[in-house]
Amino acid sequence: MLSKIIVHKVGNRINQESLILSQEELQLEDEMKELLEDFFLKAFKSEEQFSFYSDTYLVNNPVYSSVSEIFDDRDKFVYEAENIAQHLYEVAENPRVQSGELFIAYFEGEENADGNKIDSIGIFKTENKNPFLKIFPQNEAFEIEKDYGIGLSKLDKGALIYNSSKETGYAVSVVDNNKNGDMYYWFEDFLKVKQRDDEYFQTQETLTVYKEYITKQLPQEFETTKADQADFLNKSITFFKEKETFDYDEFTREVLEDPNVIESFGNFKSDYEQEMQVSISEDFAISEAAVKKQSRGFKSVIKLDKNFHIYVHGDRKMIETGQDEKGKYYRLYFEEEK
């Protein structure tokens, strides 16, 4: 439930635009509270979460420090909201960053089954202004005017910080639907967040490194057809959809099968972790949401020149490859035409 909210106007410092700070919270009717709450919160659809970090100590992260103060003492809401707006104003280093309204809100959480509740703080920035028409009576007719305002269909930028896991940088949901030529401004320069090392992250990274291996490394080391690659991709997604937990040995044994391929994948995974500076676990609970998102990129399509696309969904044994006097060919076996 939205219990506190304040709004500031944050211009682009590089373009010599102003920072206009409010001194008081907005006092809203219940209907407006519900409208804003729906507008802000519906933007956070992904289960992917982040956490604040710092190159030195967490307390040196300005946003982390401010939200910590608010969680500890709500009387500091107005003061710390001003600090957050000031920080956002100062980090603009790109003239293409748009000015906009910065809303800072406090949400009281609902009690769960254990009688606990988790409050949250929202930081939302609106940048794009949409045209709308105002129609009003004038004498015995109507007049129409064009104006601009904040559309309620999509939030430009937002962060929702949950009052949990304070020691490791809180649990944070983030959206940036208007990067406008600067993909680092919101995530890195302002919030300074990184993806949380949770089951979503582990599922996502495991599927990412596996796909990289199958599509790029495997064909370089082993004699592999596109149909073989499609089969490997299909079997991996099936494994993740059917299992609740991931076990590395079980996965490689069931999906990769060949000991030489398993060893090759292990080496590739180690190189990937070192290069990307991540640590991918070999035992974790599988995130259904991450599987659903990643599986969109696991489409097993065999492209034959510009004439045909073969979408492979299942049994590798139903596809044969060969070559004759007319050229290379695929032979497909099926039981029923639909």
Side-chain angles (χ1 to χ4, degrees):
M1 180 182 71
L2 177 62
S3 63
K4 287 177 173 290
I5 185 168
I6 193 168
V7 60
H8 304 297
K9 178 73 173 181
V10 181
N12 186 310
R13 179 176 58 85
I14 302 299
N15 295 335
Q16 298 184 325
E17 296 172 348
S18 300
L19 169 66
I20 304 173
L21 298 172
S22 298
Q23 302 303 311
E24 297 179 356
E25 298 176 34
L26 286 171
Q27 303 301 320
L28 305 175
E29 299 291 335
D30 289 343
E31 185 177 352
M32 180 58 72
K33 283 185 179 181
E34 292 176 6
L35 182 68
L36 288 176
E37 187 173 331
D38 179 67
F39 170 53
F40 293 143
L41 299 184
K42 71 181 180 181
F44 301 94
K45 299 176 182 178
S46 173
E47 292 187 25
E48 181 180 19
Q49 288 195 328
F50 300 79
S51 59
F52 293 112
Y53 76 97
S54 172
D55 297 328
T56 53
Y57 299 100
L58 260 176
V59 71
N60 292 331
N61 180 311
V63 182
Y64 171 86
S65 179
S66 289
V67 298
S68 295
E69 290 292 328
I70 296 171
F71 281 134
D72 288 342
D73 183 358
R74 281 194 240 177
D75 289 339
K76 296 181 178 179
F77 177 78
V78 174
Y79 176 77
E80 294 298 343
E82 182 175 315
N83 287 338
I84 292 171
Q86 183 72 47
H87 172 58
L88 180 63
Y89 182 70
E90 291 175 353
V91 298
E93 299 289 345
N94 189 329
R96 288 177 297 194
V97 170
Q98 293 174 258
S99 63
E101 295 77 22
L102 183 71
F103 295 84
I104 297 162
Y106 193 98
F107 298 93
E108 294 183 18
E110 297 181 0
E111 288 191 3
N112 56 27
D114 298 326
N116 299 318
K117 66 173 187 174
I118 298 177
D119 292 354
S120 58
I121 294 171
I123 304 173
F124 316 104
K125 188 183 179 199
T126 56
E127 297 172 331
N128 288 315
K129 298 295 185 292
N130 300 317
F132 65 90
L133 300 178
K134 294 193 297 186
I135 301 174
F136 51 92
Q138 184 71 26
N139 298 326
E140 296 183 356
F142 286 90
E143 292 288 332
I144 185 168
E145 288 184 358
K146 181 181 179 181
D147 208 338
Y148 291 85
I150 300 170
L152 299 179
S153 59
K154 185 170 72 172
L155 180 68
D156 290 319
K157 289 176 168 61
L160 193 62
I161 303 102
Y162 301 93
N163 191 11
S164 64
S165 305
K166 178 181 179 180
E167 299 77 12
T168 55
Y170 292 112
V172 187
S173 296
V174 187
V175 295
D176 186 357
N177 293 315
N178 184 35
K179 294 182 174 59
N180 197 40
D182 193 337
M183 60 184 296
Y184 301 106
Y185 166 66
W186 189 251
F187 276 84
E188 289 289 332
D189 300 334
F190 172 56
L191 294 170
K192 204 172 183 66
V193 290
K194 62 182 179 180
Q195 192 171 351
R196 280 170 61 84
D197 186 357
D198 54 15
E199 61 187 46
Y200 188 102
F201 172 80
Q202 293 295 341
T203 303
Q204 170 189 275
E205 287 301 304
T206 299
L207 283 170
T208 297
V209 69
Y210 176 80
K211 182 185 176 184
E212 286 277 311
Y213 175 75
I214 294 301
T215 57
K216 296 179 180 178
Q217 187 66 26
L218 182 68
Q220 294 181 22
E221 293 189 37
F222 303 93
E223 186 175 338
T224 309
T225 66
K226 291 290 185 181
D228 294 329
Q229 289 176 283
D231 187 48
F232 277 124
L233 293 176
N234 282 328
K235 285 197 295 185
S236 66
I237 287 297
T238 299
F239 180 94
F240 272 83
K241 287 181 177 179
E242 292 180 350
K243 307 286 185 179
E244 294 184 358
T245 59
F246 176 86
D247 178 82
Y248 180 81
D249 291 335
E250 180 185 19
F251 173 76
T252 54
R253 188 172 59 250
E254 291 188 13
V255 176
L256 296 176
E257 298 180 358
D258 188 308
N260 294 321
V261 177
I262 293 173
E263 182 181 0
S264 171
F265 175 62
N267 294 333
F268 183 83
K269 177 176 175 289
S270 297
D271 292 341
Y272 177 90
E273 289 175 301
Q274 185 173 355
E275 181 182 351
M276 303 302 293
Q277 296 185 332
V278 297
S279 177
I280 305 175
S281 176
E282 295 187 355
D283 183 12
F284 55 85
I286 292 174
S287 165
E288 184 178 341
V291 173
K292 183 176 181 181
K293 183 177 180 179
Q294 290 294 104
S295 62
R296 297 169 191 161
F298 273 62
K299 287 183 169 59
S300 302
V301 184
I302 302 173
K303 298 180 181 180
L304 308 178
D305 299 329
K306 295 182 179 180
N307 297 317
F308 306 102
H309 286 178
I310 301 175
Y311 290 80
V312 183
H313 301 291
D315 194 348
R316 168 69 178 86
K317 298 175 182 177
M318 305 296 282
I319 304 176
E320 290 182 2
T321 61
Q323 187 170 356
D324 58 19
E325 66 279 0
K326 293 182 180 180
K328 298 177 182 178
Y329 64 81
Y330 276 89
R331 180 179 290 139
L332 310 180
Y333 295 91
F334 64 94
E335 295 180 358
E336 182 181 357
E337 184 176 6
K338 295 182 181 181

